[in-house]
Amino acid sequence: MFGTLRPRWTRLSEVLRGPVYATGAFARRSLKLLSAALHKGLRSLVPRSSINVVDSEAQPLDQDLDILAENDGTLTLDLPDIPTNNLEAPSIKWLLETSTDPEVFLAAASLVPQVEWPLDLDISDILPQLYDIFTSCVDIQMQIVPSLEEKTSACVTALSHLYYGRVLQAHPGHSDFICSESTDFMVFLEMGPLCKANYTILYTTINLCLPEDSNHGWFPLVSATCPDSVLEWLSHVLPYHFVTGRVDEDGERLATTVISKLLSYPSSPSTQIVANCTLLACVMVGAQVDKKDIVRIDKRCHRLIWRFFCHD
């Protein structure tokens, strides 16, 4: 197992040891503590190994930061279960399924990535419906109708976000969930050239449904102009790739880039961003996480995150 984890840790450590461009003390502290905590977590994953993992920036932390319980490589999040009927997702699902008002649909679709979609909520009918709405925005020349670009973008983002949850629901099994006439891979691939504004989202999502004979992934490079909202979305969905095994070196590179960018902003990162980056980094080095914790939008109850603010 160490042979698998060590290259990932080395790559991640190089990013976290790099220059911190943020002027805020909290941002610098977040990077340092994240690196230290991950270093300690990796050592607890391989307690009997004769090989030492060395990180010059890692500092010893309190025993309470031992997040990988009983050395079994399992990351436990201290997050209370929330009944599905107490979440916003069922209401948004109902609006997506029933509303004929374009403005209501746009508002509901825009909210999809912002709320929690529990694994016990059946979303199987929404995926083909969102795809049908997307195709209705394409004209006879196979271009997005200009007046429907905002609707198309919200639809693509909602479809991609919900697709992650559907894949995780089925894991370790897999199937095509969107269109009976085509594979999910071809659906996302054909959407790509039409939705340049959603390029990063689409070409990240497509890696969840690569054909079995595919010899390379499609993970995008993150440009300097990538919106903050997309980076934050990536910090939430990239763990899905690691826990389902649908990631390659380009995916690992994308994950480290996202962590580095989000934690090195001139302004101090929010607790939610730190939480997302910590969970992402932990699954990168091999920690096992329960499905229900992966889908949580608010991960700030994770005790590792709270220790960032409780220790000076």
Side-chain angles (χ1 to χ4, degrees):
M1 180 172 67
F2 184 79
T4 301
L5 299 181
R6 190 182 186 192
R8 290 181 179 180
W9 169 251
T10 301
R11 192 175 300 114
L12 186 61
S13 295
E14 289 173 355
V15 172
L16 295 178
R17 283 201 301 266
V20 180
Y21 299 103
T23 56
F26 173 74
R28 290 193 294 270
R29 187 162 171 256
S30 296
L31 278 171
K32 186 174 182 180
L33 287 173
L34 180 56
S35 178
L38 291 174
H39 178 262
K40 187 171 184 179
L42 179 61
R43 292 188 64 184
S44 69
L45 270 173
V46 286
R48 297 181 180 85
S49 173
S50 59
I51 303 175
N52 293 323
V53 180
V54 178
D55 180 1
S56 61
E57 293 296 315
Q59 302 295 326
L61 297 181
D62 188 275
Q63 288 291 328
D64 289 334
L65 289 179
D66 264 331
I67 59 174
L68 299 173
E70 300 177 1
N71 295 327
D72 64 354
T74 300
L75 179 66
T76 302
L77 305 189
D78 296 328
L79 297 169
D81 290 331
I82 303 174
T84 298
N85 57 5
N86 289 349
L87 296 171
E88 299 93 337
S91 298
I92 294 175
K93 175 178 180 286
W94 181 80
L95 287 173
L96 291 173
E97 292 174 332
T98 62
S99 178
T100 57
D101 185 323
E103 292 187 3
V104 172
F105 173 83
L106 180 60
S110 300
L111 286 172
V112 166
Q114 302 177 35
V115 304
E116 186 171 320
W117 293 85
L119 294 172
D120 61 354
L121 181 62
D122 184 9
I123 58 172
S124 56
D125 291 338
I126 302 182
L127 299 180
Q129 181 180 352
L130 286 171
Y131 178 63
D132 287 343
I133 293 172
F134 167 81
T135 58
S136 72
C137 298
V138 181
D139 63 21
I140 195 171
Q141 276 109 22
M142 296 303 295
Q143 299 293 323
I144 302 298
V145 177
S147 61
L148 299 177
E149 288 181 354
E150 185 179 10
K151 179 181 180 179
T152 303
S153 179
C155 188
V156 167
T157 301
L159 175 61
S160 298
H161 188 87
L162 292 173
Y163 186 75
Y164 273 89
R166 188 67 186 91
V167 169
L168 195 62
Q169 281 179 334
H171 182 70
H174 186 62
S175 182
D176 289 310
F177 305 117
I178 299 175
C179 176
S180 59
E181 291 84 23
S182 181
T183 64
D184 295 346
F185 173 76
M186 289 305 301
V187 166
F188 285 114
L189 189 62
E190 291 170 0
M191 293 168 74
L194 301 176
C195 306
K196 295 181 180 179
N198 301 91
Y199 172 86
T200 300
I201 290 174
L202 281 172
Y203 284 97
T204 301
T205 307
I206 202 172
N207 289 277
L208 284 180
C209 51
L210 292 176
E212 292 186 2
D213 59 353
S214 178
N215 56 12
H216 68 87
W218 293 68
F219 286 100
L221 296 174
V222 174
S223 69
T225 59
C226 183
D228 294 352
S229 59
V230 173
L231 290 174
E232 292 171 17
W233 182 79
L234 287 172
S235 73
H236 171 71
V237 301
L238 282 173
Y240 290 68
H241 291 271
F242 289 91
V243 300
T244 58
R246 291 162 189 165
V247 68
D248 58 10
E249 287 189 4
D250 288 338
E252 293 176 356
R253 189 175 297 109
L254 174 61
T256 54
T257 299
V258 168
I259 292 173
S260 178
K261 283 182 174 292
L262 286 175
L263 295 185
S264 58
Y265 278 160
S267 58
S268 296
S270 68
T271 56
Q272 182 58 64
I273 288 176
V274 175
N276 282 0
C277 290
T278 301
L279 180 65
L280 172 56
C282 286
V283 297
M284 286 180 68
V285 297
Q288 302 299 308
V289 184
D290 192 284
K291 284 183 179 182
K292 67 180 180 61
D293 291 330
I294 291 291
V295 303
R296 297 298 290 264
I297 288 293
D298 189 348
K299 303 179 180 72
R300 288 175 296 176
C301 291
H302 180 4
R303 61 191 174 121
L304 173 60
I305 307 308
W306 287 119
R307 288 295 171 182
F308 280 175
F309 305 99
C310 295
H311 285 78
D312 295 320

